[in-house]
Amino acid sequence: MSVYDKLGQLGITLPPVAVPAAAYVPFVQTGNLVFLSGHIAKRDGKAWVGQLGADMNTEQGKAAARAIAIDLMGTLHAACQASGKTLDDVRRIVKVMSLVNSTGSYTEQHLVTNGASELFGEVFGPAGAHARSAFGVAQIPMGACVEIELIAEIG
């Protein structure tokens, strides 16, 4: 099954690439690797504001991470198109780095990040298995609850 068929089956429509909010580009390709800039969680088109362990729980954070994964796939789709490829040409989701806006005592950043990791596995199958890091941070731009960046290999 193609990646696009899988997305359709899951009821996911890929968003367009977001306009950068500062001095950076949404993605850079070098060789077969595509580096996607960090994407913050959004809800209703605005930053999904909150802090895990204060006013958000793990399940809410996991939903935010899943929403980011959808945005990241939209950007990855654009990156693939820029080189004449499609998401079906993604050989591997190589690395995910997740920043979770959390209190000093919150320790479930890895579970929040599963919201993105599990969706990449569903969509890309074995190619969605990746290395990753999940960090708790004191704050994220615009007060967002989660930010995730991604490295992928396309063929």
Side-chain angles (χ1 to χ4, degrees):
M1 177 181 293
S2 83
V3 168
Y4 298 97
D5 290 339
K6 187 63 175 177
L7 289 167
Q9 189 178 62
L10 293 169
I12 295 172
T13 301
L14 295 178
V17 177
V19 176
Y24 64 91
V25 294
F27 61 87
V28 171
Q29 182 172 352
T30 182
N32 289 339
L33 294 178
V34 179
F35 294 76
L36 275 58
S37 294
H39 286 50
I40 63 167
K42 292 182 182 171
R43 186 169 49 184
D44 301 324
K46 298 177 185 167
W48 190 331
V49 175
Q51 187 175 48
L52 280 290
D55 55 3
M56 288 184 74
N57 64 37
T58 300
E59 285 305 310
Q60 292 168 315
K62 190 174 177 180
R66 185 180 190 282
I68 295 171
I70 293 168
D71 284 347
L72 285 164
M73 286 188 284
T75 301
L76 184 56
H77 170 73
C80 288
Q81 285 187 316
S83 61
K85 308 278 185 182
T86 72
L87 287 177
D88 289 318
D89 295 304
V90 171
R91 289 185 185 162
R92 187 79 188 231
I93 302 298
V94 177
K95 173 82 190 239
V96 167
M97 187 179 77
S98 174
L99 305 172
V100 180
N101 182 352
S102 51
T103 63
S105 61
Y106 184 80
T107 60
E108 295 187 344
Q109 291 85 359
H110 61 296
L111 299 177
V112 167
T113 306
N114 280 348
S117 295
E118 291 169 358
L119 184 59
F120 292 139
E122 275 187 84
V123 171
F124 293 102
H130 54 270
R132 89 171 189 201
S133 301
F135 299 96
V137 296
Q139 196 51 265
I140 293 175
M142 295 179 264
C145 55
V146 182
E147 179 175 353
I148 301 175
E149 66 179 47
L150 177 141
I151 302 168
E153 179 186 10
I154 57 175

